Amino acid sequence: MANRFYLNDLQFSRTENCVFISHHKNDKEIAKKIAEYIYASGVDIYFDEFDNSINKDNPDSVVNAIKRGINRSSHMLCILSKDALRSKWMPWEIGYGYDRLLVAGVIIKGLSYSVLPEYLQIVPIIQGTNTLNAYISDLANRDESSLIREAKLISASKLYHPLNKLLNRKL
């Protein structure tokens, strides 16, 4: 899996969309599945779990990698869970990227929209695979049905979608 981080300055272009995946460490497996799903659609991502340059024991390394990832991204997708709402890193990431990126959130099962802090209640919130597919097709600047035909997205109407068990559905 590639990260925007690995593009050198000559390859780097802000003309392509790139999604910075913000998540709590306890949600990394869920975040990884969402990151891989977005990446499979052809949209670039930055996901710290794929960034081999980060030394998790060195706060400077973590902060510098996150800043670099945010600076090279166009969008931020916050994986919202109960753990995420208690995170110390996620509010910092969101604050750092808020004026630079288009911020959105995706609600994980077990979390209600009503408990989101005010700064997240004003960003687009993705609930379920239907709205996630719409979000990705907008990022890709492609019609959702063509992405599904090309097997870059899975139809939200499929009985089995790999993310159905992870995401809250929009009511």
Side-chain angles (χ1 to χ4, degrees):
M1 180 78 47
N3 259 341
R4 178 65 59 105
F5 168 79
Y6 294 110
L7 295 177
N8 65 38
D9 290 332
L10 295 175
Q11 295 172 303
F12 176 69
S13 166
R14 282 282 280 196
T15 60
E16 295 179 24
N17 286 330
C18 177
V19 181
F20 180 93
I21 307 294
S22 178
H23 66 97
H24 186 276
K25 64 183 175 182
N26 292 349
D27 300 323
K28 73 178 173 184
E29 291 307 314
I30 293 170
K32 181 179 179 185
K33 288 178 183 175
I34 293 169
E36 289 172 340
Y37 186 72
I38 293 170
Y39 188 74
S41 75
V43 175
D44 197 7
I45 57 140
Y46 177 86
F47 183 50
D48 65 342
E49 296 296 322
F50 298 150
D51 188 341
N52 296 328
S53 76
I54 298 176
N55 176 353
K56 303 265 183 179
D57 297 324
N58 180 340
D60 284 335
S61 172
V62 175
V63 168
N64 289 331
I66 289 172
K67 286 169 75 175
R68 192 170 32 252
I70 289 171
N71 289 336
R72 290 188 172 196
S73 296
S74 56
H75 293 73
M76 179 182 288
L77 184 62
C78 304
I79 311 302
L80 303 174
S81 68
K82 291 176 184 175
D83 287 328
L85 296 183
R86 292 187 293 269
S87 172
K88 293 183 182 175
W89 275 108
M90 284 186 67
W92 181 86
E93 291 172 353
I94 295 165
Y96 183 80
Y98 204 79
D99 290 333
R100 294 171 172 85
L101 309 175
L102 298 172
V103 178
V106 60
I107 295 181
I108 302 305
K109 280 206 188 280
L111 186 71
S112 169
Y113 176 85
S114 64
V115 301
L116 295 180
E118 290 174 346
Y119 68 92
L120 287 172
Q121 290 183 7
I122 62 170
V123 302
I125 299 295
I126 296 164
Q127 295 187 70
T129 52
N130 191 34
T131 52
L132 179 62
N133 279 357
Y135 174 77
I136 294 170
S137 66
D138 284 346
L139 287 169
N141 200 23
R142 304 262 326 269
D143 182 62
E144 183 179 338
S145 60
S146 66
L147 290 169
I148 291 170
R149 273 193 309 277
E150 295 170 20
K152 293 183 179 234
L153 288 180
I154 299 169
S155 174
S157 64
K158 288 250 184 212
L159 202 47
Y160 174 76
H161 189 288
L163 300 177
N164 275 348
K165 293 182 179 179
L166 305 175
L167 306 180
N168 266 352
R169 289 187 165 247
K170 187 169 186 163
L171 301 174

